[in-house]
Amino acid sequence: MEIITIVLAGILIGSAVYLMLSKSVIRIIIGTAVMSHGVHLMFLTMGQLKRGNIPVLDDDVSNYADPLPQALILTAIVIAFALTAYTLVLALRSYRELGTDNVEEMKGVPHDD
Amino acid sequence: MTLIHLAIILPVLAAVVVRIIYKYYRRLHLGWFVLPVPLIIVIYLMTFIPRVSNNEVVYETMHFMPRIGMNFDVYIDGLGLLFAILISGIGALVVLYSIGYLSREEHLGNFYVYLLIFMTAMLGVVLNDNVIMLYLFWELTSISSFLLIAFWHTRERSLYGAQKSMLITMFGGFMMLGGFLLLQNITGTASIRGMLESVALIQESPLTPFAIVLILLGAFTKSAQFPFYVWLPDAMEAPTPVSAYLHSATMVKAGIYLVARLTPLFAFSETWVWIILLGGLITMTWASFNAISKDDLKAVLAFSTVSQLGLIMSLLGLGALSVLTGANEAHFSVAVVAAVFHLINHATFKGALFMLTGIVDHEAGTRSLRKLGGLLTVMPISFTLTVITALSMAGLPPFNGFLSKELFLEAMIDVREADFGSLASVSFIFPLLAIVGSIFTFVYSILLIYGVFFGKRTYDTPKEPHEAPALMLISPIFLSVLVLLFGFFPNILSGTIIDPAAMSIMASDTPLGTHLYMWHGFNNPALWATVAVVIIGALLFYFKDKWTFIYDYHKERFTLNHLYDQGLIYSRLGSHKVTDSYMSGFLRSYLAYIFLFFIIMGALTFLNTGIQLDFSNLAPVGIQEIIVAIIILVSLAVILATKSRLVSIIMLGAIGFAMSLFFVFFRSADLALTQLAIETVTTALFLVCFYHLPKRSRHEERVRFKMTNFLIAVGVGVMAILLGLSAYSNRLFDSISQFHIDNVYELAAGGNMVNVILVDFRGFDTLFETLVFGIAGVGIYGLMKLRLNRKDEQDETHAKKD
């Protein structure tokens, strides 16, 4: 299972890179969101998958999944969301100010399509 | 802190006072308040002469930064004292002269403050035993010289000259620091006297040639030797007192001082000897040849200074050569004595010549030789002084320049007798260069006298020339008297100043008993050399119009100046080009650099260590997980392939929800909940933004396929996979989570381990995560609400209309 999730995370990260290298601001932000998913998945995998029960204390269970990576990912999800929200609004505002959502036009280079 | 330390920093202390005086009291010329400072210092320094001529040295230390061996160690021996007296003595004369030269309309406060800083810096250089402190004062001379050259900072030429001298001398200074540090590394001490005790270490070390070249770069740039002399002629934009003081008598001799001071350390080395000897001779001949073609009086003097400094440098090299080749002591001492003597002589006659040039400039309004002429009857005193000093420069009897020039020629002729080994056949080059240089020196000296005072009165000078005020004449008169005095009675110097100085250069303890005399007898080859110099020089001067056309072949574009200018231009263009080539301003380029770097570093690491994979402990694969993985892959493919942004936003949502399914499968309830909630909000946000996006570019577009982007993306993805796999396969320690699992109830009274970790075991993370969230909220609010100018509001209304 771990091999599958690692490869999946790698594909997510690679696609995110491809999106981030494009010109449109919205696509770049989508790219960052995709990348955060990839990273979270990688994180979870590194903490080992499906070893034991859900980490809530139960008298009958002695074997729990690792709670520490979960706590870390939870923090990361919230921070990634804050960042995405902020960059989205920034993109919106910069579109209103500059009249474009193309990062190359923002530099002052004419649109080429 | 002793009296000597106080003497060295006295000028800087005085600079503060002078500044205050200048602010509140303008009735008297500021120079009168400055004048006592160098006078006090020179009188104080004179009291050391008896001690130093008895072969005593004075050593006082003051702790400055003892941990790194950087102390203010004052060390007075013959050499240091000679320079210190020159600095303070000529300093006093220059201050006196500047009172007459600079009118009270100038920024006198600045001028004297810079000059006093310079005086401290110079005294610090020559009376220092610690190389690091020496470097400190050395740079202070560069800085104060920079300020003084650009004194008239509204003139473009002044700024150009100041920048040029700054760049060149600072370059040399840094190199010198490198040499000093090497030297300190070799010997383990920063004290020059300490280094002298470990000469054996210096001789053995393979680093010594590097140290020598670096230190000589410092000395050559400062002393305007070939090919670094280019800054000196441009430094002539400074006020004339500055030119007289810094650029003839003191600062340009700092390099000479350095070479003389370090001669006992390095005289064994061929690198040292040949660089100094040949560098000095080439400088001397080349500069004296070029001086003739100049039209500006100060430019002539600048080249002449360069040439004379080359002469002194070559004499020091000659002294070191006799040590190297094992010739007899006598040669060594003659060359060194000649160097010291000419150093003094040059300071006297060149200082006076600069002052006289300043007088001519001041009274006639021009320094151009073409416009001047026939001032003999108008300025008789200046004429007399010019004749004395210029003939001394030319090396004619009965002036002091004759004595040292003859010692120079004698040493250069004698050097052929030294043991050169295989080079014996070319040893004629030394006397030849020396005589050629002397001939040109003679020609420009005569030219100087003739061009200003003889010939026709041209009457096109900007001012009607007349004799200078007495105030300006005192200093050149004093110096000319010294020229005569040292010419007729050279032995008042020999025992008191020259011998101690020469002995410290040679690091010997036995008194030399030098006896200088004007007449050496007919069998002295140097006399005949002088006669030849005068005859050939006179002929060259007489037929000047016939041969000076050769200067026309020396085109602007072959000069070192041109090289320097082009160097500056091309270094600026080159750095522009390099910077522009990668700082494109496109986000994509910078991201590409970052990702490429990631790929390369990852690849290198894997190439070094290899990939070790271990899949012995994998979790089982479930069918539902495969389905979710396929959902994610399909969504990704749609995002990459779709033309529509709306579709890609929805597919991003799909990935998010699939992720929360993964979290469910992998036993992470809280994660699944959070992911669900946040993905919903994110998708909503994306949709809101999508709605507001531009009409113009709302026409749907696909992410166009780009090969490079694709390759970079694949590279990063592969690298991430490899990193993940190898990290997973090499688990070195067990997780620390067992502690949390065991203690979650006992210590924190909770059952949900993830939540307990978030708010109890690792509560600080949560605190600042909350802060991040709050900051994002405030930031978003600011972005939406803040309008800094009315243009925004207009845009807003336009946008509404759209």
Side-chain angles (χ1 to χ4, degrees):
Chain A
M1 191 64 228
E2 278 88 350
I3 298 177
I4 295 175
T5 49
I6 287 173
V7 172
L8 188 62
I11 293 172
L12 280 167
I13 291 171
S15 321
V17 167
Y18 190 76
L19 286 167
M20 285 162 80
L21 288 171
S22 69
K23 285 180 199 163
S24 155
V25 173
I26 284 291
R27 277 190 209 287
I28 292 172
I29 298 171
I30 289 177
T32 57
V34 171
M35 182 166 278
S36 69
H37 287 317
V39 171
H40 297 158
L41 192 58
M42 192 73 99
F43 232 128
L44 199 65
T45 311
M46 291 300 128
Q48 295 198 309
L49 298 173
K50 300 209 277 191
R51 301 289 192 291
N53 220 320
I54 184 162
V56 176
L57 204 60
D58 189 336
D59 287 340
D60 301 337
V61 182
S62 61
N63 187 18
Y64 295 102
D66 196 337
L68 197 56
Q70 297 190 16
L72 296 180
I73 295 170
L74 197 67
T75 312
I77 289 176
V78 176
I79 289 175
F81 169 69
L83 193 74
T84 309
Y86 184 80
T87 44
L88 263 176
V89 176
L90 186 66
L92 197 62
R93 177 70 191 263
S94 65
Y95 160 65
R96 281 199 190 158
E97 300 286 328
L98 306 169
T100 178
D101 69 331
N102 183 320
V103 281
E104 295 192 358
E105 275 183 29
M106 284 179 184
K107 182 181 175 271
V109 171
H111 221 276
D112 62 355
D113 56 8
Chain B
M1 188 72 142
T2 60
L3 213 52
I4 310 171
H5 291 103
L6 200 64
I8 291 177
I9 59 172
L10 178 67
V12 166
L13 300 179
V16 179
V17 181
V18 157
R19 196 70 228 201
I20 295 168
I21 293 173
Y22 186 62
K23 196 165 178 195
Y24 296 108
Y25 187 77
R26 296 273 182 111
R27 297 252 302 282
L28 202 59
H29 195 288
L30 190 63
W32 292 114
F33 296 102
V34 179
L35 190 58
V37 176
L39 278 179
I40 290 170
I41 297 174
V42 76
I43 290 167
Y44 174 67
L45 287 170
M46 291 283 194
T47 61
F48 285 96
I49 292 180
R51 289 172 71 182
V52 166
S53 50
N54 275 337
N55 231 355
E56 285 176 47
V57 296
V58 181
Y59 181 76
E60 299 286 351
T61 189
M62 188 178 113
H63 285 303
F64 184 46
M65 296 188 192
R67 289 283 292 278
I68 57 167
M70 188 169 162
N71 287 322
F72 195 174
D73 299 332
V74 171
Y75 175 64
I76 300 185
D77 63 348
L79 186 65
L81 188 64
L82 161 67
F83 273 91
I85 290 177
L86 274 182
I87 290 158
S88 45
I90 296 188
L93 294 174
V94 162
V95 169
L96 185 66
Y97 173 78
S98 69
I99 296 172
Y101 184 84
L102 287 173
S103 77
R104 277 195 264 169
E105 276 79 57
E106 306 275 6
H107 294 287
L108 291 177
N110 290 352
F111 181 80
Y112 286 110
V113 166
Y114 301 157
L115 201 71
L116 287 167
I117 292 175
F118 172 78
M119 215 178 278
T120 284
M122 256 340 268
L123 287 172
V125 166
V126 299
L127 295 179
N128 217 317
D129 186 46
N130 189 299
V131 284
I132 308 294
M133 282 303 276
L134 194 154
Y135 169 74
L136 198 85
F137 284 112
W138 185 280
E139 291 295 17
L140 198 56
T141 65
S142 295
I143 293 167
S144 49
S145 158
F146 169 77
L147 291 169
L148 283 168
I149 295 170
F151 177 63
W152 287 311
H153 53 80
T154 46
R155 301 183 190 171
E156 203 179 323
R157 293 294 306 170
S158 297
L159 296 179
Y160 172 79
Q163 187 209 36
K164 194 174 188 176
S165 72
M166 179 84 153
L167 284 175
I168 294 178
T169 55
M170 286 277 170
F171 160 75
F174 277 130
M175 296 295 126
M176 191 185 79
L177 178 64
F180 282 163
L181 291 177
L182 278 180
L183 210 55
Q184 196 183 6
N185 196 11
I186 294 168
T187 60
T189 172
S191 151
I192 297 174
R193 290 200 310 169
M195 288 170 184
L196 265 176
E197 284 159 16
S198 40
V199 170
L201 285 175
I202 299 176
Q203 285 179 350
E204 284 161 18
S205 170
L207 293 175
T208 304
F210 298 102
I212 287 177
V213 170
L214 288 173
I215 290 174
L216 281 183
L217 269 175
F220 269 46
T221 48
K222 198 73 163 182
S223 280
Q225 298 294 291
F226 191 88
F228 305 108
Y229 66 84
V230 286
W231 66 268
L232 191 60
D234 283 302
M236 292 301 134
E237 298 299 325
T240 302
V242 172
S243 309
Y245 188 34
L246 274 68
H247 305 129
S248 71
T250 54
M251 190 183 83
V252 287
K253 294 209 173 82
I256 304 273
Y257 166 78
L258 190 70
V259 169
R261 176 59 85 200
L262 299 181
T263 294
L265 290 181
F266 292 129
F268 66 87
S269 156
E270 291 201 7
T271 329
W272 175 266
V273 170
W274 290 115
I275 293 180
I276 299 176
L277 183 57
L278 288 177
L281 271 179
I282 291 170
T283 310
M284 182 207 170
T285 316
W286 178 248
S288 58
F289 171 69
N290 273 301
I292 297 171
S293 67
K294 302 298 166 203
D295 174 54
D296 181 4
L297 279 175
K298 272 176 105 175
V300 175
L301 289 181
F303 275 97
S304 138
T305 302
V306 173
S307 149
Q308 305 277 326
L309 291 170
L311 188 157
I312 299 171
M313 196 67 97
S314 69
L315 278 171
L316 288 172
L318 208 57
L321 178 73
S322 8
V323 172
L324 178 68
T325 56
N328 57 3
E329 267 305 275
H331 279 149
F332 186 30
S333 60
V334 164
V336 172
V337 164
V340 174
F341 191 32
H342 197 72
L343 186 89
I344 302 168
N345 294 342
H346 178 249
T348 53
F349 67 68
K350 191 52 66 68
L353 273 171
F354 267 108
M355 291 174 185
L356 291 163
T357 309
I359 287 174
V360 170
D361 188 13
H362 205 264
E363 305 309 332
T366 179
R367 298 194 308 251
S368 168
L369 277 170
R370 254 182 312 224
K371 291 185 185 164
L372 292 165
L375 298 182
L376 174 57
T377 50
V378 191
M379 305 172 77
I381 302 174
S382 306
F383 166 71
T384 318
L385 299 177
T386 309
V387 167
I388 294 172
T389 47
L391 290 185
S392 174
M393 177 161 78
L396 293 186
F399 309 107
N400 58 1
F402 170 71
L403 297 167
S404 48
K405 184 61 84 58
E406 206 169 45
L407 282 176
F408 164 70
L409 289 172
E410 197 178 310
M412 283 294 164
I413 292 168
D414 283 353
V415 74
R416 286 181 308 154
E417 290 162 17
D419 176 23
F420 280 109
S422 59
L423 292 171
S425 56
V426 291
S427 63
F428 69 91
I429 193 104
F430 302 113
L432 184 73
L433 279 176
I435 289 174
V436 170
S438 301
I439 290 170
F440 287 125
T441 306
F442 181 85
V443 175
Y444 70 69
S445 303
I446 301 297
L447 203 66
L448 208 64
I449 302 174
Y450 184 84
V452 178
F453 295 104
F454 291 95
K456 280 209 308 275
R457 272 295 288 280
T458 47
Y459 293 105
D460 60 352
T461 51
K463 291 184 194 168
E464 179 58 32
H466 54 83
E467 189 55 85
L471 198 54
M472 288 176 82
L473 284 169
I474 296 173
S475 300
I477 288 175
F478 184 80
L479 286 171
S480 307
V481 168
L482 285 185
V483 166
L484 285 169
L485 192 67
F486 295 160
F488 284 111
F489 308 106
N491 290 314
I492 54 168
L493 286 175
S494 63
T496 49
I497 301 274
I498 297 177
D499 271 6
M503 278 158 63
S504 23
I505 297 175
M506 297 159 65
S508 83
D509 292 329
T510 44
L512 295 170
T514 313
H515 194 73
L516 299 164
Y517 41 92
M518 188 89 66
W519 183 247
H520 292 252
F522 282 113
N523 53 2
N524 184 355
L527 178 70
W528 298 112
T530 308
V531 170
V533 164
V534 172
I535 293 170
I536 300 174
L539 286 173
L540 276 179
F541 176 70
Y542 190 76
F543 295 109
K544 184 173 166 293
D545 301 334
K546 300 271 194 300
W547 61 275
T548 41
F549 66 87
I550 56 169
Y551 289 109
D552 300 336
Y553 291 108
H554 186 55
K555 287 284 190 296
E556 178 64 27
R557 85 202 131 82
F558 298 118
T559 57
L560 288 166
N561 259 326
H562 187 71
L563 203 68
Y564 166 85
D565 290 338
Q566 293 297 308
L568 271 195
I569 291 171
Y570 280 111
S571 61
R572 204 174 60 223
L573 285 181
S575 45
H576 259 298
K577 219 170 228 171
V578 170
T579 310
D580 288 347
S581 68
Y582 70 94
M583 297 302 285
S584 60
F586 293 118
L587 182 65
R588 188 191 160 271
S589 320
Y590 304 141
L591 283 175
Y593 303 148
I594 293 168
F595 291 135
L596 278 173
F597 186 73
F598 172 72
I599 294 170
I600 292 167
M601 291 317 285
L604 287 178
T605 313
F606 281 125
L607 281 178
N608 267 341
T609 60
I611 304 170
Q612 292 162 345
L613 298 179
D614 170 24
F615 299 121
S616 53
N617 193 19
L618 292 178
V621 180
I623 185 75
Q624 72 275 42
E625 289 141 6
I626 298 287
I627 293 171
V628 174
I630 290 172
I631 291 173
I632 290 181
L633 285 178
V634 170
S635 316
L636 258 184
V638 173
I639 290 179
L640 291 174
T642 186
K643 277 184 173 179
S644 155
R645 284 179 186 169
L646 189 60
V647 175
S648 53
I649 288 168
I650 290 166
M651 285 300 134
L652 182 66
I655 295 177
F657 292 123
M659 284 292 291
S660 68
L661 274 179
F662 260 133
F663 291 146
V664 171
F665 298 148
F666 298 145
R667 318 278 195 273
S668 355
D670 301 286
L671 279 185
L673 281 174
T674 317
Q675 178 68 34
L676 264 178
I678 284 205
E679 201 52 46
T680 315
V681 181
T682 311
T683 311
L685 249 175
F686 266 108
L687 288 174
V688 170
C689 288
F690 177 77
Y691 174 75
H692 282 291
L693 269 184
K695 220 183 231 167
R696 183 163 60 82
S697 52
R698 200 188 277 174
H699 66 112
E700 328 266 83
E701 63 169 310
R702 204 211 299 249
V703 185
R704 276 179 303 161
F705 182 77
K706 286 215 174 111
M707 197 61 195
T708 48
N709 290 2
F710 177 73
L711 287 177
I712 291 172
V714 168
V716 172
V718 168
M719 206 49 69
I721 291 169
L722 286 177
L723 277 173
L725 288 176
S726 61
Y728 185 80
S729 307
N730 296 285
R731 186 177 283 270
L732 297 175
F733 305 105
D734 276 338
S735 168
I736 58 165
S737 300
Q738 199 55 47
F739 169 82
H740 298 123
I741 293 168
D742 290 344
N743 292 299
V744 64
Y745 193 75
E746 282 73 25
L747 291 182
N752 186 331
M753 293 166 198
V754 175
N755 289 4
V756 167
I757 290 176
L758 280 176
V759 298
D760 194 321
F761 289 126
R762 299 177 60 90
F764 275 119
D765 284 359
T766 314
L767 175 67
F768 289 108
E769 166 203 341
T770 322
L771 190 66
V772 168
F773 216 72
I775 290 171
V778 173
I780 290 170
Y781 182 80
L783 275 180
M784 298 307 287
K785 288 290 174 194
L786 199 63
R787 294 282 180 274
L788 284 179
N789 49 27
R790 286 191 48 216
K791 191 171 151 286
D792 290 338
E793 286 164 26
Q794 287 164 2
D795 286 353
E796 188 86 323
T797 49
H798 282 301
K800 272 178 192 156
K801 274 179 209 158
D802 288 344

